């Protein structure tokens, strides 16, 4: 029952343009149906909310893959129009810093970055160490 309610609430918030409230829902404890919400958020390009859905469900591999995709799209200036800020390599660094206990296998998505992005990440990590 909780999954139905939280999933419907997320849909209602998104449909009524209350994206900040939808983000707050996903940041806290929720019972949103993962598959349904993932599909909705992908379809409507709510990438920040999708990242929160992944984080809340410990789907770190998917979150890193999405961040990589968003960084590459931001660099190519062909990203889909949305209200979210442009994503930079530092977004990946911040994600990794906050989740320093993620299993090593979750980092595999990072290793397919372009050399330019890898260098930017190395530079950022080196300057924060």
């Amino acid at each position: 029952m909780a999954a139905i309610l939280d999933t419907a609430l997320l849909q209602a918030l998104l449909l009524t343009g209350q994206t900040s409230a939808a983000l707050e829902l996903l940041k806290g404890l929720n019972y949103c149906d993962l598959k349904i919400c993932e599909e909705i958020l992908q379809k409507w390009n709510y990438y920040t909310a999708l990242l929160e859905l992944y984080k809340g469900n410990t789907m770190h591999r998917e979150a890193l893959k999405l961040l990589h995709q968003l960084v590459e799209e931001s660099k190519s200036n062909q990203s889909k129009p949305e209200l979210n800020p442009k994503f930079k390599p530092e977004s990946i660094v911040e994600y990794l810093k906050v989740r320093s206990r993620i299993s090593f296998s979750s980092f595999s998505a990072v290793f397919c970055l372009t050399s330019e992005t890898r260098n930017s990440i190395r530079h950022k990590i080196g300057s924060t160490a």
Side-chain angles (χ1 to χ4, degrees), residues 34-66:
L34 182 61
K35 290 196 179 266
I36 293 171
C37 293
E38 181 181 34
E39 183 180 311
I40 292 166
L41 295 170
Q42 286 174 344
K43 180 180 177 181
W44 295 342
N45 302 324
Y46 288 116
Y47 299 123
T48 302
L50 184 56
L51 285 169
E52 288 301 328
L53 179 70
Y54 289 155
K55 289 176 195 177
N57 287 281
T58 62
M59 298 174 66
H60 303 301
R61 179 184 304 260
E62 289 80 1
L64 289 169
K65 285 180 182 179
L66 178 60

Short mmCIF file of all heavy atoms in Angstrom, two decimals, residues 34-66:
data_model
loop_
_atom_site.label_atom_id
_atom_site.label_comp_id
_atom_site.label_asym_id
_atom_site.label_seq_id
_atom_site.Cartn_x
_atom_site.Cartn_y
_atom_site.Cartn_z
N LEU A 34 10.21 1.30 -7.60
CA LEU A 34 11.44 1.62 -8.31
C LEU A 34 11.28 1.61 -9.82
O LEU A 34 11.65 2.56 -10.50
CB LEU A 34 12.55 0.65 -7.88
CG LEU A 34 13.92 0.87 -8.48
CD1 LEU A 34 14.46 2.24 -8.11
CD2 LEU A 34 14.86 -0.21 -8.03
N LYS A 35 10.73 0.56 -10.36
CA LYS A 35 10.61 0.44 -11.82
C LYS A 35 9.70 1.51 -12.41
O LYS A 35 10.02 2.11 -13.42
CB LYS A 35 10.13 -0.96 -12.21
CG LYS A 35 11.18 -2.01 -11.96
CD LYS A 35 10.83 -3.27 -12.71
CE LYS A 35 11.88 -4.32 -12.48
NZ LYS A 35 12.91 -4.34 -13.48
N ILE A 36 8.55 1.73 -11.80
CA ILE A 36 7.61 2.72 -12.31
C ILE A 36 8.21 4.12 -12.24
O ILE A 36 8.17 4.87 -13.22
CB ILE A 36 6.28 2.66 -11.53
CG1 ILE A 36 5.57 1.33 -11.80
CG2 ILE A 36 5.38 3.84 -11.90
CD1 ILE A 36 4.35 1.09 -10.92
N CYS A 37 8.79 4.46 -11.10
CA CYS A 37 9.35 5.81 -10.93
C CYS A 37 10.56 6.04 -11.82
O CYS A 37 10.73 7.12 -12.38
CB CYS A 37 9.70 6.05 -9.46
SG CYS A 37 8.22 6.10 -8.42
N GLU A 38 11.39 5.02 -11.97
CA GLU A 38 12.55 5.14 -12.85
C GLU A 38 12.09 5.42 -14.28
O GLU A 38 12.63 6.31 -14.96
CB GLU A 38 13.37 3.85 -12.81
CG GLU A 38 14.61 3.88 -13.68
CD GLU A 38 15.38 2.58 -13.64
OE1 GLU A 38 14.75 1.49 -13.52
OE2 GLU A 38 16.61 2.64 -13.73
N GLU A 39 11.08 4.72 -14.72
CA GLU A 39 10.55 4.91 -16.08
C GLU A 39 10.00 6.33 -16.26
O GLU A 39 10.27 6.99 -17.27
CB GLU A 39 9.46 3.88 -16.34
CG GLU A 39 8.89 3.93 -17.74
CD GLU A 39 7.82 2.87 -17.94
OE1 GLU A 39 8.06 1.70 -17.60
OE2 GLU A 39 6.73 3.24 -18.44
N ILE A 40 9.25 6.80 -15.30
CA ILE A 40 8.66 8.15 -15.37
C ILE A 40 9.75 9.22 -15.40
O ILE A 40 9.72 10.14 -16.22
CB ILE A 40 7.72 8.39 -14.17
CG1 ILE A 40 6.48 7.51 -14.29
CG2 ILE A 40 7.33 9.86 -14.05
CD1 ILE A 40 5.66 7.43 -13.01
N LEU A 41 10.71 9.09 -14.49
CA LEU A 41 11.76 10.10 -14.38
C LEU A 41 12.64 10.12 -15.63
O LEU A 41 13.06 11.19 -16.09
CB LEU A 41 12.60 9.85 -13.12
CG LEU A 41 11.83 10.03 -11.81
CD1 LEU A 41 12.66 9.54 -10.63
CD2 LEU A 41 11.40 11.47 -11.61
N GLN A 42 12.91 8.96 -16.21
CA GLN A 42 13.68 8.91 -17.45
C GLN A 42 12.89 9.52 -18.60
O GLN A 42 13.42 10.31 -19.38
CB GLN A 42 14.05 7.46 -17.80
CG GLN A 42 15.14 6.90 -16.94
CD GLN A 42 15.39 5.43 -17.22
OE1 GLN A 42 14.58 4.73 -17.83
NE2 GLN A 42 16.53 4.94 -16.74
N LYS A 43 11.62 9.17 -18.69
CA LYS A 43 10.76 9.65 -19.78
C LYS A 43 10.66 11.17 -19.78
O LYS A 43 10.68 11.81 -20.83
CB LYS A 43 9.38 9.02 -19.66
CG LYS A 43 8.41 9.44 -20.73
CD LYS A 43 7.06 8.77 -20.53
CE LYS A 43 6.06 9.23 -21.56
NZ LYS A 43 4.75 8.59 -21.37
N TRP A 44 10.56 11.76 -18.59
CA TRP A 44 10.38 13.20 -18.47
C TRP A 44 11.68 13.96 -18.24
O TRP A 44 11.67 15.17 -17.99
CB TRP A 44 9.38 13.52 -17.37
CG TRP A 44 7.98 13.03 -17.66
CD1 TRP A 44 7.46 12.67 -18.86
CD2 TRP A 44 6.95 12.84 -16.71
NE1 TRP A 44 6.15 12.26 -18.72
CE2 TRP A 44 5.81 12.36 -17.40
CE3 TRP A 44 6.85 13.02 -15.33
CZ2 TRP A 44 4.61 12.08 -16.78
CZ3 TRP A 44 5.65 12.73 -14.71
CH2 TRP A 44 4.55 12.27 -15.43
N ASN A 45 12.81 13.24 -18.28
CA ASN A 45 14.14 13.86 -18.14
C ASN A 45 14.36 14.56 -16.80
O ASN A 45 15.03 15.58 -16.74
CB ASN A 45 14.42 14.84 -19.28
CG ASN A 45 14.33 14.19 -20.64
OD1 ASN A 45 14.71 13.04 -20.81
ND2 ASN A 45 13.79 14.90 -21.61
N TYR A 46 13.83 14.00 -15.74
CA TYR A 46 14.06 14.53 -14.39
C TYR A 46 15.28 13.82 -13.81
O TYR A 46 15.19 12.95 -12.95
CB TYR A 46 12.84 14.32 -13.50
CG TYR A 46 11.67 15.20 -13.85
CD1 TYR A 46 10.48 14.65 -14.29
CD2 TYR A 46 11.76 16.58 -13.71
CE1 TYR A 46 9.40 15.47 -14.62
CE2 TYR A 46 10.68 17.40 -14.03
CZ TYR A 46 9.51 16.83 -14.48
OH TYR A 46 8.44 17.63 -14.79
N TYR A 47 16.46 14.23 -14.31
CA TYR A 47 17.68 13.51 -13.98
C TYR A 47 18.12 13.68 -12.53
O TYR A 47 18.60 12.73 -11.92
CB TYR A 47 18.81 13.93 -14.92
CG TYR A 47 18.49 13.61 -16.36
CD1 TYR A 47 18.48 14.60 -17.33
CD2 TYR A 47 18.17 12.32 -16.75
CE1 TYR A 47 18.19 14.30 -18.65
CE2 TYR A 47 17.86 12.01 -18.06
CZ TYR A 47 17.88 13.01 -19.01
OH TYR A 47 17.57 12.70 -20.30
N THR A 48 17.94 14.84 -11.97
CA THR A 48 18.32 15.03 -10.57
C THR A 48 17.45 14.15 -9.67
O THR A 48 17.96 13.52 -8.74
CB THR A 48 18.19 16.51 -10.17
OG1 THR A 48 19.01 17.30 -11.03
CG2 THR A 48 18.63 16.73 -8.74
N ALA A 49 16.18 14.07 -9.97
CA ALA A 49 15.28 13.21 -9.20
C ALA A 49 15.63 11.74 -9.43
O ALA A 49 15.60 10.94 -8.48
CB ALA A 49 13.83 13.47 -9.59
N LEU A 50 16.00 11.39 -10.63
CA LEU A 50 16.40 10.01 -10.93
C LEU A 50 17.65 9.63 -10.14
O LEU A 50 17.75 8.53 -9.60
CB LEU A 50 16.61 9.83 -12.43
CG LEU A 50 16.94 8.42 -12.92
CD1 LEU A 50 15.88 7.42 -12.48
CD2 LEU A 50 17.09 8.43 -14.44
N LEU A 51 18.59 10.56 -10.04
CA LEU A 51 19.79 10.31 -9.23
C LEU A 51 19.42 10.08 -7.77
O LEU A 51 19.97 9.20 -7.10
CB LEU A 51 20.77 11.48 -9.34
CG LEU A 51 21.55 11.55 -10.65
CD1 LEU A 51 22.28 12.88 -10.76
CD2 LEU A 51 22.52 10.39 -10.76
N GLU A 52 18.47 10.85 -7.27
CA GLU A 52 18.02 10.66 -5.88
C GLU A 52 17.33 9.30 -5.70
O GLU A 52 17.52 8.63 -4.69
CB GLU A 52 17.07 11.78 -5.44
CG GLU A 52 17.75 13.11 -5.23
CD GLU A 52 18.85 13.08 -4.19
OE1 GLU A 52 18.77 12.30 -3.22
OE2 GLU A 52 19.81 13.85 -4.36
N LEU A 53 16.56 8.88 -6.70
CA LEU A 53 15.93 7.57 -6.65
C LEU A 53 17.00 6.49 -6.58
O LEU A 53 16.91 5.56 -5.77
CB LEU A 53 15.03 7.36 -7.87
CG LEU A 53 14.32 6.01 -7.97
CD1 LEU A 53 13.23 5.91 -6.90
CD2 LEU A 53 13.73 5.82 -9.36
N TYR A 54 18.02 6.60 -7.41
CA TYR A 54 19.11 5.63 -7.41
C TYR A 54 19.86 5.64 -6.08
O TYR A 54 20.16 4.59 -5.52
CB TYR A 54 20.08 5.90 -8.55
CG TYR A 54 19.56 5.58 -9.93
CD1 TYR A 54 20.07 6.22 -11.04
CD2 TYR A 54 18.56 4.62 -10.13
CE1 TYR A 54 19.61 5.92 -12.32
CE2 TYR A 54 18.09 4.33 -11.41
CZ TYR A 54 18.63 4.98 -12.50
OH TYR A 54 18.18 4.68 -13.76
N LYS A 55 20.17 6.83 -5.58
CA LYS A 55 20.90 6.93 -4.30
C LYS A 55 20.10 6.28 -3.18
O LYS A 55 20.65 5.52 -2.38
CB LYS A 55 21.14 8.40 -3.95
CG LYS A 55 22.16 9.09 -4.81
CD LYS A 55 22.24 10.56 -4.42
CE LYS A 55 22.95 11.38 -5.44
NZ LYS A 55 22.95 12.81 -5.10
N GLY A 56 18.83 6.59 -3.10
CA GLY A 56 17.99 6.07 -2.03
C GLY A 56 17.80 4.56 -2.07
O GLY A 56 17.47 3.94 -1.07
N ASN A 57 18.03 3.98 -3.23
CA ASN A 57 17.89 2.53 -3.39
C ASN A 57 19.24 1.84 -3.57
O ASN A 57 19.29 0.72 -4.07
CB ASN A 57 16.96 2.23 -4.58
CG ASN A 57 15.53 2.55 -4.24
OD1 ASN A 57 14.86 1.78 -3.57
ND2 ASN A 57 15.05 3.71 -4.68
N THR A 58 20.29 2.53 -3.19
CA THR A 58 21.68 2.04 -3.29
C THR A 58 22.01 1.47 -4.66
O THR A 58 22.69 0.46 -4.78
CB THR A 58 22.03 1.02 -2.17
OG1 THR A 58 21.20 -0.12 -2.31
CG2 THR A 58 21.89 1.63 -0.79
N MET A 59 21.53 2.13 -5.68
CA MET A 59 21.82 1.74 -7.06
C MET A 59 22.97 2.62 -7.58
O MET A 59 22.81 3.41 -8.50
CB MET A 59 20.56 1.89 -7.92
CG MET A 59 19.43 0.99 -7.48
SD MET A 59 17.89 1.31 -8.38
CE MET A 59 18.37 0.81 -10.04
N HIS A 60 24.13 2.45 -6.96
CA HIS A 60 25.26 3.32 -7.23
C HIS A 60 25.81 3.15 -8.65
O HIS A 60 26.22 4.12 -9.28
CB HIS A 60 26.36 3.11 -6.20
CG HIS A 60 25.88 3.31 -4.80
ND1 HIS A 60 25.33 4.51 -4.38
CD2 HIS A 60 25.81 2.47 -3.75
CE1 HIS A 60 24.97 4.40 -3.10
NE2 HIS A 60 25.24 3.18 -2.70
N ARG A 61 25.80 1.95 -9.14
CA ARG A 61 26.28 1.72 -10.52
C ARG A 61 25.43 2.52 -11.50
O ARG A 61 25.94 3.20 -12.38
CB ARG A 61 26.23 0.23 -10.85
CG ARG A 61 26.69 -0.09 -12.27
CD ARG A 61 26.51 -1.56 -12.57
NE ARG A 61 27.21 -2.38 -11.61
CZ ARG A 61 28.39 -2.95 -11.82
NH1 ARG A 61 28.99 -2.78 -12.96
NH2 ARG A 61 28.96 -3.69 -10.90
N GLU A 62 24.10 2.46 -11.34
CA GLU A 62 23.20 3.19 -12.23
C GLU A 62 23.38 4.69 -12.08
O GLU A 62 23.35 5.44 -13.06
CB GLU A 62 21.75 2.80 -11.96
CG GLU A 62 21.38 1.40 -12.41
CD GLU A 62 21.82 0.29 -11.44
OE1 GLU A 62 22.41 0.61 -10.38
OE2 GLU A 62 21.57 -0.89 -11.75
N ALA A 63 23.58 5.14 -10.84
CA ALA A 63 23.79 6.57 -10.60
C ALA A 63 25.06 7.05 -11.28
O ALA A 63 25.08 8.11 -11.92
CB ALA A 63 23.84 6.86 -9.10
N LEU A 64 26.14 6.28 -11.16
CA LEU A 64 27.40 6.67 -11.79
C LEU A 64 27.29 6.65 -13.31
O LEU A 64 27.82 7.54 -13.99
CB LEU A 64 28.53 5.75 -11.33
CG LEU A 64 28.97 5.96 -9.88
CD1 LEU A 64 29.89 4.84 -9.44
CD2 LEU A 64 29.64 7.31 -9.71
N LYS A 65 26.60 5.67 -13.86
CA LYS A 65 26.40 5.63 -15.31
C LYS A 65 25.62 6.85 -15.78
O LYS A 65 25.94 7.47 -16.79
CB LYS A 65 25.67 4.36 -15.73
CG LYS A 65 26.53 3.13 -15.70
CD LYS A 65 25.72 1.92 -16.14
CE LYS A 65 26.54 0.66 -16.07
NZ LYS A 65 25.76 -0.53 -16.46
N LEU A 66 24.57 7.20 -15.04
CA LEU A 66 23.76 8.37 -15.39
C LEU A 66 24.58 9.64 -15.29
O LEU A 66 24.52 10.49 -16.18
CB LEU A 66 22.51 8.45 -14.51
CG LEU A 66 21.61 9.66 -14.75
CD1 LEU A 66 21.08 9.69 -16.18
CD2 LEU A 66 20.46 9.67 -13.75
#
